Amino acid sequence: MDMDMDVDVPLPEELELLEESYIIHDQEFEHLDLEPSEPYPYEDEEEEPTQAKSPAADDSSPSPGTLIHCHKRSRSLDGSDAPVPDSSRPSDEKRSRIADDEEEEEWLRYSPSKVIDPVMKEPAVDDKEETLLWRFASDIDGDFIPVTAPSGGDRVYAKMSIEEMNERREKLSLRTQSGGLIEEPINVLLQRVEQEAFTKALQASSGDQNDLVLSETPVVHEKLWVDKYAPNSFTELLSDEQTNREVLLWLKQWDSCVFGSEIRSTSNEVLSALRRHLSVGQHQKFSNSNFLWKNRGPGWNKENFRLSNDFEKKSTDFDQINSNSKVIQDLWNKKSRSTGPPEQKILLLCGPPGLGKTTLAHVAARHCGYRVVEINASDDRSASTIEAKILDVVQMNSVTSDSRPKCLVIDEIDGALGDGKGAVEVILKMVSDDKKSDTGKENAAKEENPQKISAKKGRKSKPLSRPVICICNDLYAPVLRPLRQVARVHVFAQPTVSRIVSRLKYICNKEAMKTSSIALAALADYTECDIRSCLNTLQFLHKKKENLNMLDVSSQVIGRKDMSKSVFDVWKGLTGKVVRSGDYELIMDGVHENILQLPYHDPVMQKTVKCLNCLGISDLLHQYTLRRQQMHLLAYQPALAITVHRSVAQVQRPNIEWPKSYLRYRTMLTEKMDTLRSWYYTIPPYISRHLSIKSFVEEAVSLLLHILSPPTLRPVALNLLSENEKNDLDQLVSKMITYSITYKNVKLNPLSSDRSNEASDTLGLAFDPPIADFVNFKGYRSGHYVLALAMKQVLVHEVEKQRILQVSTARFGHLIDGCNKENEALSGKETGRLQPDKASHAGPCAKSIEKTSRHSNPSMPPTSCKPESSTASLKLKPSGGTRRSSGLSSFFDRFRKLSKDSQNTDTVVRKEETSERDLRPLLFKFNEGFTNAVKRPVRVREFLL
Amino acid sequence: MLWVDKYRPKTLDQVLVHQDVAQNLKKLVTEQDCPHLLFYGPSGSGKKTLIMALLRQIFGSSAEKVKVENKTWKVDAGSRTIDLELTTLSSTNHVELNPSDAGFQDRYIVQEIIKEMAKNRPIDTKGKKGFKVLVLNEVDKLSREAQHSLRRTMEKYSAYCRLILCCNSSSKVSEAIRSRCLNVRINAPTEEQIVKVLEFIAKKERLQIPSGFAARIAEKSSRSLRRAILSFETCRVQQYPFTSNQIIPPMDWEEYIFEIASDIMKEQSPKRLYQVRHKLYELLVNCIPPEIILKRLLFELLKKLDAELKHEVCHWAAYYEHRMRLGQKAIFHLEAFVAKFMSIYKAFLIAAFG
């Protein structure tokens, strides 16, 4: 008891003053101590009155102002003589431990007479606190606690007297020795305390007490067994030991962060102590130093009871662990020495319902000294509310009622849909914020002592400083995908049937219900080890005064949970045993996907035919069901699956794949349809109206590809072509324009390039609406001739030129007739769209017609294209002094032209320029680089050739 | 410009293939007694061409000046509003649209949009009340509900609105609609007719065609005029002075189905069926309708099959096509057909060769 050494011995006059006011303190604390109805109050009852009686006699009315003072200091009295009775206590403790419920109740029943109404008392305490408050923290030498006024926001500091702390320690030391396990869960006790207080308040007003107290008992009696026999200590948990310990370990890793730095050293001590089966005294120190600064409210000693109990349980628990496995402990030691909160700040527990996830979370959190705040599906889980709630949990510390640090348990997080997704988002945000500011702040926090941390808590915007436990059923719910990555995940395994059975047996014995182990085992098996379901069933039967027998279980008299099996299980099951599930369409898809891969024996394919017939029927049924909304027909779907099962079932486990191909087919189909459709709209209507998508794919596309890449066209420069070839080229260009097809740059992957002639070049030109893809079946070599790259480039160029030409002719309302007659409709359309703004040159016009070609961005003025057209349109054009001319095309285009088919560009340019030169003396403005922002020296000579 | 478009007849007089139909239509127009019309026939037979020529006959050249509109309609359907996007081709006197583009919401198009269009009565230049024409494509793809909704519209606004419906198969158009229309069956052109058209084009293009070459193209075209002309042009592009034994390029998907068929003939096992499935998916992905795949596959299989089995295989093909049309997932039924064929064929092989 090294802490006892630094107890301040109060001065004699102080003592005197204290003794004066002791009576009030006594009354107050009697009441407070009695409330929790735990073993300790008996001692208080026996011990304190003897000390307090005489001072109470000589000073009857202490001034209200000094009350708090007394209250605080008075503990020193208690503390100073505490060690003496300490040794003599154990016998008392033992007695009190045996004390059962009835005794407690009895005692509670007559206690109210002595107790002052707590509701009346509390405001008084508030008022009196003033005397011990300072405006500035520096005025106080020693520990203090900040208090913020709820209304004005004023902040004051209250001194914490060391005496009080010591005194508390003493009390705890007494108590922890007692070490009685609480018979009932904490929350039940708390509830009872509340009820008690309520009753007392009622009694105070009405004076009638017996009725109310009596009315309580049946309520307790009618509790669900699930609640009644819920495990309230760590050792009672039914779930897997390993998981339990992992969870506890994770929670303990928060200690250094939540309870401050001091604890870290002690927790190590505690651990070593645990290992060596040391005396309980060390725990007291742990718990005391732990909660000194927090336990201020009237409920403070109640807290300590619980904690000390918890710690005892832990010690027993650890003894067990000790005997069981050293591994966990080593892990523990290693982890607990590491600094700060654990790596993963979220704990995600998942598993099927009824295995005790929520219970584990609650028990473990309580065990580690947290107050559990639960948010479940019934709460509002939109982002804003949840954020407020989490911040509240994480950053605030309640002063009045229950001042343990809080631990947030978010239950049923996978059910969070819609607004509920907010919860996951908020948590993720906090975690990510945390990661950023992690190391620095963490270290700083460690240096400070616990009080400082508490003082800072309100102001700090540190995102996540309290453990958060999330509970879900389906780990792979889409909502949880991001959370899975940051959280520590624990999957609950089913507890063994024998474990469940033994527990059920125990409960049945308690409830005096006759059962057989076999029936219980069957029940457990049937419910897939869902304890809740088992207990509910048992209680139900018990109420009906029936006994559980095997027949009941197997004949499904007992309600079965509405479970959903994973589709993988169903598919696997189809090849093994038949199971039930809901999503028939998906199941049938899966069957379809996998059935041909199964190694069943089928010489003349009869089984395959049968299975595929079943699939076909299922499809028809599904279609009909959905179309006619005859949902009852769905009942016949499983029968089909069973037929499939009969055909292909076998012993060995197959390799099941998720049905992807149908979905892939759907997406690709829509994608291709979209390409076609968007292309369709760019074709002038007088052509497109005759061509539906179906007929295009069916009849046109292959031939169109042939037509668009004629093998007779020699890949040479334009000026080398014969008259006939030129004519052919012109026609080809006009075809490409009317079908608004062009080439564009694509990266050829080496696989597909084997069917093209230009395999050497990785960067190729392909048709712009990718119509070639429509004949590009997998594993099929089409006999399409593909033009050489140079030829394609020529075509791209020509197509651009023609387009602009068309636009310009349309703009000036002059149709160059002959072959251009067909452009009428197109140009008519274009004129409607184009503004008669002459300043805006061909650039925007070109853009408006061809969305398809990104390849080159020509900004040629309309006059500069063909000799014949230029003459025609020049007459119309106002002969302005400066005009843009020359074939500007894109930067890259130019270089390619220069390198590969420079002749071609030359000829084009030459043609234009000769026509221009003939018309007028030199009037030339070269705007090269104007639009492309790239400059290159060009000689005028080059244009005048 | 492709020859298909270049030599498309613009007026009813220019029509080469269905001259009788064209003359009847012309008579209808001149007598100012044009009822609702339902054109049906296989693709590539010239339905659209006839419709356009008819419109030109009615409205003159103004019918050719069309504009494309992509409009979003807000349709109030009870408690909610539905946004429908619809592309229309419209001139001053007529509107062309494809109501089945809206998929399952085609009902709203018929109920709201078409009704709206039919209501608005145009006034022609002389101040007389003119009438307008709605051309609805792919009526056979309309859902039953949409077809029902169409009936009333046809009657109610018949005074100043004519509907021209166009579809491939009249059997999918409800009886009620068919009885309200003058049904015009457009046959697939015979091979002789196709040859005639090809020779006409050759004359216009000043091409020499060896005798029998046009007939070969016509034969390969499976009586689709569009396909015949496209093939002809392809041949022209690939090799000009035609030789009579020049290859006529096949359709790629047909070649692919040919490959599938030979795969099926080579081996009959679930494993092979699995490979076939992937190939079928390839075809389906490339927008080839499953009915056509099935038909073509049957055609290719029958070519290689013993005469004994042909009847049975045809029966099963019909059976699975029926199911395919009732159902939703074409691949199931296609595959079931392939499996059935494999089963029959394998049993046959075992029986024949032991």
Side-chain angles (χ1 to χ4, degrees):
Chain A
M1 310 282 153
D2 49 348
M3 285 298 257
D4 290 349
M5 304 308 270
D6 46 53
V7 170
D8 275 356
V9 178
L11 297 167
E13 57 267 33
E14 234 182 322
L15 273 174
E16 207 173 70
L17 183 69
L18 286 170
E19 268 187 332
E20 281 175 355
S21 55
Y22 198 74
I23 177 72
I24 288 154
H25 147 75
D26 197 17
Q27 281 182 343
E28 186 181 331
F29 273 85
E30 220 166 47
H31 147 65
L32 288 168
D33 287 351
L34 292 175
E35 263 192 338
S37 66
E38 284 178 53
Y40 177 62
Y42 299 105
E43 294 151 35
D44 254 2
E45 230 183 315
E46 291 161 21
E47 172 190 35
E48 285 183 321
T50 53
Q51 289 180 342
K53 279 294 181 302
S54 51
D58 52 38
D59 197 332
S60 52
S61 60
S63 72
T66 54
L67 195 81
I68 270 290
H69 193 72
C70 306
H71 151 186
K72 292 193 172 184
R73 289 303 165 110
S74 64
R75 311 315 295 247
S76 69
L77 260 183
D78 213 3
S80 55
D81 61 0
V84 186
D86 195 18
S87 51
S88 61
R89 272 300 133 72
S91 59
D92 291 343
E93 300 300 324
K94 286 223 180 73
R95 184 184 58 79
S96 60
R97 214 182 301 162
I98 314 159
D100 58 5
D101 282 9
E102 288 106 295
E103 219 176 316
E104 259 181 45
E105 297 262 316
E106 216 180 311
W107 164 74
L108 279 168
R109 223 164 285 153
Y110 56 72
S111 62
S113 54
K114 291 192 278 183
V115 173
I116 303 159
D117 191 359
V119 186
M120 303 289 282
K121 200 73 198 172
E122 268 168 22
V125 172
D126 262 3
D127 291 339
K128 290 152 199 162
E129 223 161 21
E130 294 297 342
T131 49
L132 270 191
L133 301 178
W134 279 267
R135 268 279 165 207
F136 303 103
S138 52
D139 292 348
I140 309 165
D141 54 339
D143 301 335
F144 60 89
I145 195 159
V147 179
T148 310
S151 53
D154 292 336
R155 194 168 184 86
V156 291
Y157 296 91
K159 187 177 165 79
M160 290 183 73
S161 61
I162 296 156
E163 289 82 355
E164 182 202 11
M165 301 184 221
N166 291 336
E167 196 270 341
R168 253 191 248 177
R169 259 172 235 150
E170 290 314 313
K171 293 224 161 183
L172 281 170
S173 76
L174 303 179
R175 213 151 300 127
T176 39
Q177 276 176 341
S178 73
L181 289 172
I182 313 169
E183 282 296 305
E184 279 175 278
I186 278 302
N187 51 356
V188 176
L189 288 175
L190 272 172
Q191 264 181 8
R192 197 174 305 160
V193 167
E194 269 176 24
Q195 279 223 338
E196 209 66 44
F198 181 64
T199 3
K200 272 168 218 155
L202 274 177
Q203 283 162 7
S205 56
S206 66
D208 177 24
Q209 67 180 80
N210 285 330
D211 284 0
L212 285 160
V213 177
L214 285 172
S215 69
E216 261 176 49
T217 34
V219 175
V220 176
H221 187 72
E222 288 218 348
K223 263 197 328 184
L224 281 177
W225 287 7
V226 178
D227 295 331
K228 196 167 170 187
Y229 295 100
N232 46 39
S233 79
F234 194 75
T235 43
E236 283 177 48
L237 287 172
L238 266 180
S239 41
D240 182 41
E241 287 266 343
Q242 180 79 26
T243 320
N244 294 353
R245 276 180 219 144
E246 294 266 334
V247 170
L248 194 65
L249 176 60
W250 181 82
L251 270 173
K252 288 304 286 180
Q253 282 171 24
W254 282 93
D255 276 1
S256 61
C257 160
V258 175
F259 297 109
S261 59
E262 242 175 64
I263 229 61
R264 262 183 56 244
S265 53
T266 47
S267 76
N268 272 341
E269 261 176 64
V270 168
L271 286 164
S272 58
L274 282 168
R275 238 174 284 130
R276 280 177 283 128
H277 299 269
L278 272 190
S279 69
V280 209
Q282 299 246 341
H283 298 290
Q284 297 150 14
K285 188 180 139 201
F286 180 21
S287 54
N288 281 341
S289 52
N290 204 341
F291 296 106
L292 278 180
W293 48 277
K294 278 182 250 99
N295 300 334
R296 275 201 41 93
W300 62 271
N301 43 10
K302 162 173 88 190
E303 298 309 319
N304 282 352
F305 287 147
R306 218 169 283 143
L307 277 166
S308 52
N309 277 326
D310 277 343
F311 276 105
E312 272 199 358
K313 275 172 221 150
K314 198 189 290 169
S315 75
T316 52
D317 182 37
F318 267 90
D319 288 351
Q320 282 184 352
I321 295 166
N322 219 3
S323 55
N324 287 342
S325 65
K326 285 270 180 204
V327 189
I328 299 278
Q329 273 189 16
D330 291 343
L331 188 67
W332 180 297
N333 289 336
K334 210 167 63 193
K335 285 276 170 79
S336 64
R337 249 175 240 125
S338 69
T339 57
E343 289 265 311
Q344 292 115 331
K345 303 213 165 185
I346 315 281
L347 185 72
L348 186 60
L349 298 177
C350 66
L355 296 193
K357 297 178 296 296
T358 315
T359 317
L360 171 65
H362 280 252
V363 168
R366 272 204 313 267
H367 189 114
C368 294
Y370 293 96
R371 186 159 73 87
V372 178
V373 176
E374 186 178 319
I375 300 173
N376 58 31
S378 62
D379 298 320
D380 180 14
R381 289 204 280 198
S382 61
S384 50
T385 39
I386 201 115
E387 183 157 22
K389 207 154 185 174
I390 293 174
L391 285 178
D392 181 39
V393 169
V394 161
Q395 295 180 339
M396 314 272 245
N397 215 357
S398 127
V399 180
T400 49
S401 61
D402 189 349
S403 53
R404 284 176 299 163
K406 292 170 194 163
C407 168
L408 185 64
V409 173
I410 305 176
D411 209 344
E412 294 148 29
I413 196 167
D414 53 343
L417 292 169
D419 282 350
K421 278 181 191 156
V424 177
E425 275 159 28
V426 168
I427 292 168
L428 284 174
K429 205 178 82 197
M430 290 185 148
V431 171
S432 60
D433 285 356
D434 220 19
K435 286 239 167 80
K436 278 179 229 154
S437 63
D438 210 9
T439 44
K441 277 194 175 175
E442 212 49 59
N443 292 335
K446 252 184 294 156
E447 311 306 308
E448 293 166 337
N449 58 19
Q451 284 86 354
K452 288 260 174 66
I453 286 181
S454 78
K456 272 190 109 183
K457 202 138 285 162
R459 280 166 285 158
K460 257 196 297 188
S461 62
K462 197 156 171 297
L464 207 60
S465 55
R466 291 285 180 271
V468 176
I469 303 176
C470 301
I471 298 172
C472 64
N473 284 337
D474 180 12
L475 179 59
Y476 296 101
V479 202
L480 298 182
R481 193 173 297 142
L483 195 63
R484 272 207 309 272
Q485 291 160 0
V486 295
R488 168 180 289 208
V489 180
H490 281 300
V491 182
F492 263 64
Q494 280 182 8
T496 54
V497 174
S498 60
R499 214 173 157 176
I500 303 257
V501 169
S502 66
R503 176 70 164 223
L504 291 177
K505 193 95 186 149
Y506 165 78
I507 291 167
C508 287
N509 284 340
K510 276 252 169 184
E511 294 288 335
M513 182 182 177
K514 269 185 221 158
T515 49
S516 70
S517 293
I518 302 162
L520 285 177
L523 181 68
D525 194 37
Y526 184 74
T527 56
E528 306 200 341
C529 294
D530 182 341
I531 304 147
R532 179 166 45 209
S533 165
C534 288
L535 277 179
N536 284 338
T537 312
L538 283 176
Q539 188 174 14
F540 170 66
L541 291 176
H542 185 61
K543 272 276 167 203
K544 281 171 70 185
K545 304 276 186 276
E546 279 176 16
N547 284 338
L548 182 73
N549 54 32
M550 284 289 285
L551 210 68
D552 283 352
V553 177
S554 51
S555 64
Q556 300 203 13
V557 177
I558 302 145
R560 189 187 168 116
K561 334 175 245 190
D562 193 8
M563 281 187 305
S564 61
K565 281 251 177 200
S566 122
V567 277
F568 268 102
D569 291 343
V570 178
W571 294 325
K572 285 218 173 86
L574 272 177
T575 59
K577 58 172 185 169
V578 177
V579 282
R580 311 198 302 174
S581 180
D583 191 351
Y584 299 118
E585 196 185 357
L586 183 59
I587 288 167
M588 286 305 172
D589 275 349
V591 169
H592 178 246
E593 181 87 10
N594 291 294
I595 196 164
L596 296 178
Q597 305 282 47
L598 297 174
Y600 55 95
H601 181 66
D602 192 12
V604 283
M605 306 271 298
Q606 270 166 347
K607 284 182 184 171
T608 318
V609 171
K610 199 171 177 184
C611 293
L612 283 168
N613 267 340
C614 284
L615 288 175
I617 293 168
S618 146
D619 176 37
L620 297 193
L621 198 58
H622 190 81
Q623 174 78 357
Y624 186 82
T625 315
L626 289 189
R627 177 153 287 183
R628 297 291 160 95
Q629 299 287 308
Q630 309 269 9
M631 290 306 171
H632 59 92
L633 288 177
L634 281 177
Y636 296 100
Q637 288 274 15
L640 295 164
I642 291 167
T643 322
V644 173
H645 156 72
R646 259 177 54 88
S647 311
V648 297
Q650 68 228 300
V651 188
Q652 68 198 95
R653 298 301 267 173
N655 205 3
I656 299 288
E657 275 173 40
W658 185 263
K660 288 185 287 255
S661 55
Y662 186 73
L663 265 181
R664 201 174 51 216
Y665 148 67
R666 291 289 297 272
T667 45
M668 283 177 77
L669 184 65
T670 39
E671 203 177 287
K672 292 223 169 185
M673 287 291 227
D674 283 348
T675 357
L676 270 185
R677 213 164 268 156
S678 56
W679 172 55
Y680 210 62
Y681 293 141
T682 59
I683 306 175
Y686 67 98
I687 288 176
S688 69
R689 68 153 65 113
H690 293 286
L691 207 60
S692 69
I693 284 174
K694 176 174 160 281
S695 64
F696 169 75
V697 174
E698 211 183 305
E699 297 179 328
V701 68
S702 298
L703 300 169
L704 189 62
L705 282 172
H706 279 300
I707 291 167
L708 289 182
S709 38
T712 48
L713 204 61
R714 286 183 297 143
V716 291
L718 284 180
N719 55 346
L720 298 179
L721 292 174
S722 70
E723 210 41 53
N724 271 341
E725 284 171 328
K726 258 185 198 156
N727 197 23
D728 284 350
L729 185 71
D730 281 347
Q731 285 201 1
L732 179 59
V733 169
S734 101
K735 282 166 198 162
M736 285 178 74
I737 288 168
T738 46
Y739 277 84
S740 70
I741 292 168
T742 182
Y743 288 96
K744 70 167 181 192
N745 277 322
V746 286
K747 254 220 166 84
L748 289 176
N749 52 338
L751 286 174
S752 71
S753 65
D754 62 349
R755 50 175 292 270
S756 60
N757 295 348
E758 34 176 8
S760 57
D761 206 342
T762 46
L763 197 77
L765 288 168
F767 285 112
D768 186 14
I771 51 171
D773 288 354
F774 284 93
V775 295
N776 190 10
F777 306 118
K778 204 183 273 172
Y780 171 76
R781 271 182 84 95
S782 62
H784 287 289
Y785 180 80
V786 179
L787 290 176
L789 186 65
M791 201 61 231
K792 284 182 183 171
Q793 280 161 353
V794 172
L795 280 173
V796 169
H797 191 81
E798 289 294 315
V799 167
E800 288 311 321
K801 221 166 73 176
Q802 283 295 325
R803 275 201 180 137
I804 289 147
L805 184 69
Q806 282 179 12
V807 173
S808 69
T809 49
R811 268 182 64 198
F812 294 107
H814 265 245
L815 297 174
I816 300 152
D817 229 296
C819 70
N820 275 356
K821 199 182 174 184
E822 67 272 11
N823 297 333
E824 195 178 338
L826 172 70
S827 47
K829 191 182 97 192
E830 291 304 325
T831 32
R833 277 203 267 158
L834 291 176
Q835 293 298 314
D837 180 15
K838 285 186 181 170
S840 77
H841 268 276
C845 314
K847 217 188 287 169
S848 67
I849 0 160
E850 46 103 22
K851 297 161 194 165
T852 47
S853 81
R854 300 277 136 67
H855 167 59
S856 56
N857 176 23
S859 54
M860 286 188 281
T863 54
S864 61
C865 295
K866 267 185 164 181
E868 62 194 76
S869 68
S870 64
T871 46
S873 49
L874 268 173
K875 273 179 256 162
L876 299 160
K877 243 201 140 164
S879 54
T882 57
R883 231 175 330 141
R884 275 190 233 169
S885 63
S886 121
L888 291 192
S889 53
S890 87
F891 177 66
F892 300 103
D893 215 19
R894 199 159 52 233
F895 279 101
R896 196 181 298 119
K897 295 276 158 46
L898 281 176
S899 61
K900 286 185 183 142
D901 48 342
S902 54
Q903 291 154 306
N904 162 42
T905 1
D906 279 349
T907 45
V908 175
V909 173
R910 202 186 303 139
K911 253 190 271 171
E912 296 159 12
E913 293 316 316
T914 42
S915 64
E916 288 254 343
R917 187 181 50 188
D918 293 342
L919 274 166
R920 57 187 70 238
L922 187 63
L923 237 176
F924 206 82
K925 188 174 179 187
F926 183 54
N927 270 335
E928 170 94 65
F930 179 71
T931 48
N932 297 326
V934 176
K935 285 191 178 168
R936 185 171 63 99
V938 176
R939 289 179 192 284
V940 175
R941 195 173 58 228
E942 285 179 32
F943 296 96
L944 296 178
L945 272 173
Chain B
M1 189 174 228
L2 293 177
W3 292 350
V4 191
D5 306 310
K6 201 168 167 184
Y7 298 105
R8 199 184 288 284
K10 295 266 187 324
T11 61
L12 288 173
D13 296 321
Q14 289 172 13
V15 169
L16 280 175
V17 182
H18 300 285
Q19 276 163 345
D20 47 340
V21 177
Q23 290 313 313
N24 283 336
L25 288 174
K26 199 176 170 186
K27 242 181 265 168
L28 276 180
V29 173
T30 48
E31 286 168 16
Q32 294 286 318
D33 182 29
C34 186
H36 297 305
L37 292 169
L38 171 67
F39 286 83
Y40 63 99
S43 75
S45 58
K47 300 180 295 293
K48 271 318 242 331
T49 310
L50 274 173
I51 292 171
M52 288 307 123
L54 177 70
L55 285 176
R56 197 188 157 102
Q57 186 75 40
I58 299 171
F59 299 114
S61 59
S62 69
E64 283 177 358
K65 289 212 173 92
V66 285
K67 57 175 194 279
V68 187
E69 269 180 306
N70 206 342
K71 225 161 149 188
T72 313
W73 300 76
K74 278 203 195 307
V75 177
D76 192 28
S79 54
R80 69 217 162 99
T81 52
I82 299 166
D83 285 339
L84 286 173
E85 212 174 306
L86 191 67
T87 313
T88 55
L89 286 180
S90 55
S91 73
T92 45
N93 292 306
H94 89 282
V95 181
E96 284 174 62
L97 69 164
N98 203 346
S100 59
D101 276 352
F104 63 94
Q105 288 175 328
D106 53 4
R107 186 162 59 97
Y108 300 110
I109 291 198
V110 173
Q111 284 177 345
E112 303 290 332
I113 299 172
I114 293 182
K115 213 162 151 189
E116 198 61 39
M117 285 172 176
K119 266 186 206 164
N120 298 324
R121 184 170 193 172
I123 295 171
D124 70 0
T125 44
K126 288 160 204 147
K128 270 201 300 188
K129 283 168 183 170
F131 69 101
K132 96 192 281 183
V133 172
L134 289 178
V135 180
L136 306 185
N137 292 320
E138 296 176 8
V139 191
D140 49 352
K141 285 188 187 159
L142 280 181
S143 66
R144 195 153 287 278
E145 293 81 11
Q147 292 192 17
H148 284 312
S149 327
L150 199 57
R151 304 198 297 202
R152 187 74 191 123
T153 313
M154 291 174 92
E155 275 174 3
K156 203 170 173 187
Y157 306 105
S158 63
Y160 41 85
C161 176
R162 289 285 173 276
L163 289 176
I164 298 182
L165 313 176
C166 179
C167 63
N168 281 342
S169 156
S170 68
S171 63
K172 282 186 200 161
V173 181
S174 77
E175 195 75 37
I177 289 180
R178 271 188 280 160
S179 80
R180 282 169 173 78
C181 296
L182 175 66
N183 293 10
V184 185
R185 160 87 179 159
I186 309 293
N187 293 318
T190 59
E191 287 180 14
E192 293 81 55
Q193 281 171 323
I194 292 175
V195 169
K196 219 168 81 187
V197 172
L198 293 181
E199 274 164 356
F200 168 77
I201 291 171
K203 209 173 88 192
K204 285 266 180 185
E205 289 282 320
R206 271 164 284 173
L207 299 172
Q208 297 293 321
I209 43 170
S211 60
F213 184 63
R216 268 184 68 215
I217 292 177
E219 185 196 351
K220 285 251 179 183
S221 66
S222 55
R223 290 178 71 193
S224 161
L225 196 55
R226 182 193 291 125
R227 193 170 157 183
I229 298 173
L230 278 169
S231 301
F232 187 46
E233 191 171 1
T234 309
C235 291
R236 157 72 183 80
V237 155
Q238 286 191 326
Q239 183 187 357
Y240 170 50
F242 294 119
T243 54
S244 52
N245 56 354
Q246 194 179 343
I247 338 153
I248 296 157
M251 302 300 291
D252 289 287
W253 63 271
E254 287 180 359
E255 289 292 288
Y256 199 61
I257 289 180
F258 174 75
E259 278 182 21
I260 295 174
S262 40
D263 278 354
I264 294 170
M265 298 303 280
K266 263 181 225 147
E267 189 192 332
Q268 296 85 33
S269 68
K271 204 158 279 148
R272 178 50 61 98
L273 185 56
Y274 190 67
Q275 289 163 7
V276 168
R277 173 196 293 175
H278 286 300
K279 292 195 166 184
L280 290 175
Y281 265 136
E282 273 294 311
L283 284 170
L284 287 172
V285 158
N286 285 301
C287 313
I288 314 248
E291 297 88 5
I292 289 176
I293 297 176
L294 186 68
K295 204 170 141 194
R296 185 74 199 179
L297 190 59
L298 174 70
F299 178 72
E300 294 288 349
L301 289 172
L302 285 181
K303 277 201 288 194
K304 305 175 179 188
L305 213 56
D306 199 280
E308 259 179 75
L309 293 178
K310 279 185 181 170
H311 175 73
E312 195 182 353
V313 170
C314 282
H315 164 76
W316 286 113
Y319 175 79
Y320 285 110
E321 189 182 339
H322 177 66
R323 281 188 160 198
M324 189 157 70
R325 289 187 191 267
L326 287 180
Q328 193 183 21
K329 289 177 179 162
I331 188 76
F332 282 16
H333 307 285
L334 280 177
E335 217 176 299
F337 169 68
V338 175
K340 188 76 195 171
F341 176 81
M342 281 180 169
S343 174
I344 292 170
Y345 190 65
K346 200 162 187 185
F348 170 74
L349 284 184
I350 289 169
F353 305 107

